[in-house]
Amino acid sequence: IVAVAVRAAELRTQNITYCRPGTSATARTACASFTSTVLQQAGVPAPFQAATEGIWNNRALQQVVARSAVLDSNYFEKNKAALQVGDIIWWGDGQTKGCGKPRSTKIFNHVGFYVGNGMAVDTSSESGFVMERKAGRTWKCSTFNGAKRYGANL
């Protein structure tokens, strides 16, 4: 699974920019498309997914950190010891109401990769690029909200 993190880091250096969901990680990509493409390129048997929930539901991935039912800004700190480089991590608010607004059943609103030392690689709608940033960050009613891993190294 370290290959996953390595591929994610490689894409970060290629100035891939953010775009709408549903495209593969070529020139522009959204978080789930980026994650899905990196998983495929690292050899993980996973169909392409353009939604964070679709990646979570991949049966080839094993749960490392359960999704929280409540917004907990300390959830990353409480669970970071369980994480390994290459784990897929999600952010969200644990609710079906994003920032108090009703939405579908989606609990997650963002996905990326844990690359160690408290850092993640993901695409950013704010910056417009694939970037490395703190995995435990909280923004817009979202915080770390679960992790999964591919492979036997659980």
Side-chain angles (χ1 to χ4, degrees):
I1 198 67
V2 172
V4 171
V6 168
R7 182 63 186 141
E10 287 171 356
L11 289 172
R12 186 178 71 79
T13 64
Q14 295 174 15
N15 291 325
I16 293 174
T17 57
Y18 182 89
C19 74
R20 292 202 163 114
T23 59
S24 64
T26 54
R28 298 171 57 87
T29 187
C31 65
S33 300
F34 167 74
T35 303
S36 188
T37 300
V38 170
L39 289 171
Q40 287 180 336
Q41 291 180 357
V44 175
F48 181 80
Q49 295 288 337
T52 56
E53 197 80 13
I55 296 169
W56 179 268
N57 292 331
N58 181 337
R59 294 178 188 233
L61 303 176
Q62 301 296 314
Q63 183 172 289
V64 176
V65 177
R67 53 169 78 172
S68 175
V70 296
L71 184 64
D72 181 352
S73 61
N74 294 313
Y75 200 56
F76 177 78
E77 290 300 320
K78 293 174 185 175
N79 290 283
K80 71 179 178 181
L83 298 175
Q84 293 180 9
V85 170
D87 285 349
I88 303 101
I89 58 176
W90 283 261
W91 294 268
D93 62 5
Q95 304 295 316
T96 56
K97 293 183 177 180
C99 295
K101 298 176 185 175
R103 63 178 185 216
S104 67
T105 59
K106 190 166 75 172
I107 294 175
F108 306 118
N109 58 17
H110 197 63
V111 63
F113 294 97
Y114 186 67
V115 293
N117 298 319
M119 301 300 286
V121 170
D122 62 320
T123 57
S124 165
S125 59
E126 295 94 20
S127 75
F129 290 93
V130 174
M131 60 187 299
E132 185 175 18
R133 51 189 168 173
K134 292 181 181 179
R137 71 193 185 283
T138 299
W139 80 105
K140 294 184 186 175
C141 304
S142 292
T143 190
F144 171 79
N145 195 18
K148 288 196 171 186
R149 179 177 304 146
Y150 177 75
N153 58 343
L154 291 173

